[in-house]
Amino acid sequence: NAGVTQTPKFHILKIGQSMTLQCTQDMNHNYMYWYRQDPGMGLKLIYYSVGAGITDKGEVPNGYNVSRSTTEDFPLRLELAAPSQTSVYFCASSLGGGLGNNEQFFGPGTRLTVL
Amino acid sequence: GENVGLHLPTLSVQEGDNSIINCAYSNSASDYFIWYKQESGKGPQFIIDIRSNMDKRQGQRVTVLLNKTVKHLSLQIAATQPGDSAVYFCAENIFGGYSTLTFGKGTMLLVSP
């Protein structure tokens, strides 16, 4: 199993540009998540999905969009990038969301800079 | 608002010492907690979890203690090694329509040989 994979590893965007961060998991997990991590801070939940076709907002969804057309993939879309979106983005997945099923497995992260 | 936080941002220990990393939480409805380890340039990695019906749980060289009375969580690492150097996060599971994790800010553990 590759686990959770993310692409790209690094990217520089210009203000106002758009891009999609890719995330794939091969563990047949139902739940997937996108977090952002600012320097010296913890992770903040952007969006999550409990299954194909179902997504919901997390703590900091503004400026982002997601889709979940398959169990494996959960891309994160940035529209009209702003400097405030400079961060490290982590994708994660878990088998479920209930007790004992919520161990989240994280990808290696995408370091995004908006200039 | 309710949040998960940490008392000490940086903890420096000598190799072989025992380390204790603390975490305070404020949501009394949280009933599941996880500790994650994040090495530089990598994603967080699960260490150990505990349910609110337990006070203590042990893993390999790690122990998590939960004190629900004062809403406090701690991670104890025995015989700390240089490879334990990382940022450690506690996270709480808050049940809503679907449960998600809320992470604290993290504590940096520095282990000197």
Side-chain angles (χ1 to χ4, degrees):
Chain A
N1 279 352
V4 180
T5 56
Q6 293 181 237
T7 56
K9 286 185 169 28
F10 305 92
H11 196 79
I12 298 175
L13 265 184
K14 293 184 179 178
I15 295 172
Q17 287 184 328
S18 301
M19 80 166 294
T20 299
L21 307 186
Q22 301 292 343
C23 175
T24 300
Q25 54 92 8
D26 62 0
M27 296 174 282
N28 203 30
H29 283 172
N30 295 314
Y31 281 51
M32 295 187 75
Y33 314 81
W34 273 106
Y35 294 90
R36 60 176 287 171
Q37 184 177 35
D38 298 327
M41 301 295 286
L43 291 90
K44 293 200 179 293
L45 183 65
I46 305 171
Y47 270 95
Y48 66 103
S49 168
V50 301
I54 306 171
T55 63
D56 207 349
K57 296 178 181 179
E59 184 181 354
V60 291
N62 291 344
Y64 307 95
N65 278 302
V66 293
S67 60
R68 184 95 181 272
S69 57
T70 67
T71 299
E72 295 79 18
D73 300 306
F74 191 40
L76 177 71
R77 178 86 177 158
L78 280 75
E79 304 281 3
L80 298 174
S84 61
Q85 292 179 301
T86 294
S87 191
V88 180
Y89 291 83
F90 288 101
C91 179
S93 71
S94 65
L95 182 61
L99 289 178
N101 289 329
N102 204 2
E103 178 187 344
Q104 294 185 17
F105 296 81
F106 285 81
T110 294
R111 187 175 296 275
L112 180 67
T113 302
V114 182
L115 299 175
Chain B
E2 298 188 312
N3 59 79
V4 175
L6 292 171
H7 297 303
L8 299 174
T10 303
L11 177 64
S12 296
V13 301
Q14 293 288 118
E15 182 178 1
D17 287 352
N18 295 331
S19 303
I20 300 176
I21 300 171
N22 296 304
C23 176
Y25 67 95
S26 57
N27 190 332
S28 57
S30 295
D31 55 6
Y32 179 57
F33 304 88
I34 304 179
W35 279 101
Y36 281 89
K37 172 186 180 183
Q38 185 177 23
E39 296 175 90
S40 181
K42 296 183 179 179
Q45 182 180 16
F46 174 92
I47 303 173
I48 192 168
D49 60 359
I50 188 167
R51 300 184 184 187
S52 61
N53 61 353
M54 303 169 68
D55 298 322
K56 178 180 179 179
R57 190 161 189 227
Q58 288 185 291
Q60 188 176 13
R61 282 201 308 118
V62 295
T63 301
V64 56
L65 299 178
L66 176 62
N67 185 331
K68 295 181 288 293
T69 302
V70 296
K71 299 189 186 71
H72 185 266
L73 195 67
S74 69
L75 177 70
Q76 300 179 358
I77 305 174
T80 313
Q81 302 167 1
D84 294 327
S85 293
V87 177
Y88 291 80
F89 294 96
C90 65
E92 63 181 302
N93 195 356
I94 302 172
F95 284 99
Y98 297 104
S99 60
T100 59
L101 291 178
T102 297
F103 286 80
K105 289 186 179 180
T107 293
M108 169 74 78
L109 177 65
L110 299 173
V111 183
S112 304

